[in-house]
Amino acid sequence: MMKCLGCYKETGANYCTPCRRALFDAIKIGSVLGFNAPAANNISVFQQYSKQLSISGVQLKYSLHLEGNQLALTDKAGQ
Ligand SMILES: [Zn+2]
């Protein structure tokens, strides 16, 4: 059994059904992102995607949206 990436309950998939429904409109989504994590050599790319976010807190945050069943960086219409 694996743990749901949303709530850490035991599940047979990356996300349990309630999390998949709540987060991704029930779309089955991969657990591997199609882009690299922020690092010194690509941080400027990420900054383009965080300009319009207004979520408070210390962690870096970026806008993502669904492209098919993949999460992708976006500069508008983040989900
Ligand atoms: Zn879950």
Side-chain angles (χ1 to χ4, degrees), residues 4 6-9 15-16 19:
C4 169
C7 67
Y8 303 117
K9 284 184 191 150
Y15 293 93
C16 71
C19 284

Side-chain angles (χ1 to χ4, degrees), residues 34-75:
F35 51 88
N36 293 320
N41 64 350
N42 68 2
I43 193 71
S44 62
V45 174
F46 279 86
Q47 283 164 347
Q48 291 170 24
Y49 296 108
S50 60
K51 280 181 195 152
Q52 295 173 6
L53 281 182
S54 57
I55 305 169
S56 63
V58 174
Q59 304 99 325
L60 294 172
K61 297 168 189 76
Y62 303 102
S63 277
L64 300 174
H65 72 150
L66 272 173
E67 284 182 9
N69 63 352
Q70 283 281 316
L71 289 171
L73 288 162
T74 184
D75 56 355

